[in-house]
Amino acid sequence: MPDFDPRYFRTVCGEFATGVTVVTSGKAPAFHGMTANAFTSLSLDPPLILICVDKNTHMLKTLRETPVFTVNILAADQQNLSNYFAKSDRNYGPAEFTDINLQYELGETGVPRIAGAIGYMDCTVHDIAPGGDHEIYIGEVKACWCRSDAAPLIFFEGRYREIAPKAE
């Protein structure tokens, strides 16, 4: 068996098209956001979702201190937010959301819901599991909402993509 190539593994995983989310957490005025496509629904009863958080991110510390989060499902026109919250060299703390003039409202758990997103899920941390170089956060959904009048932001083969419009 040949040596395992982690970069090729990442390429193979990139063949699975995903939506893009920004996970928000924290307490005012120091909210924090993180771009994530490692998100999925888990259970209907109780309503559970999961996100995967790299052990070397600010989000891990934030979630440990404030065990609530919101998954914001980005619309196709929110690529700039995905890019911003994916950067590790941005300001953290109170300036993180004001630097990009992020419009939001506070959700059920007191965490930002990003304006213009096509959906959100406000969650409390239900459980945490190890996942290699990540931690898997299982969230119990306390409130959720979506709209169907916008296309989602899609990521495939290392870049953003568009899906075909809905058939009339």
Side-chain angles (χ1 to χ4, degrees), residues 1 3 6 13 20 29 36 39 66 68 98 104 137:
M1 180 174 204
D3 288 340
C13 289
V20 181
F39 154 78
T66 312
V68 294
T98 58
Y104 63 89
Y137 278 78

Side-chain angles (χ1 to χ4, degrees), residues 23-94:
V23 176
T24 53
S25 188
K27 292 181 182 176
F31 293 118
H32 181 54
M34 172 191 82
T35 299
N37 66 353
F39 154 78
T40 191
S41 61
L42 181 61
S43 169
L44 292 175
D45 187 18
L48 302 174
I49 57 96
L50 68 81
I51 59 171
C52 299
V53 182
D54 188 307
K55 289 180 178 177
N56 295 316
T57 62
H58 284 87
M59 182 57 78
L60 194 71
K61 180 177 185 274
T62 302
L63 285 170
R64 287 179 177 164
E65 293 173 357
T66 312
V68 294
F69 62 92
T70 295
V71 176
N72 298 274
I73 303 168
L74 297 186
D77 63 356
Q78 293 180 306
Q79 183 176 331
N80 64 320
L81 295 179
S82 173
N83 290 335
Y84 175 78
F85 286 110
K87 293 187 326 188
S88 60
D89 62 347
R90 67 181 185 274
N91 285 321
Y92 293 98

Side-chain angles (χ1 to χ4, degrees), residues 70-73 105 113-114 117-122 141 143-146:
T70 295
V71 176
N72 298 274
I73 303 168
E105 65 181 17
R113 296 173 178 165
I114 296 174
I118 63 172
Y120 64 76
M121 288 172 234
D122 295 331
V141 179
C144 60
W145 170 87
C146 72

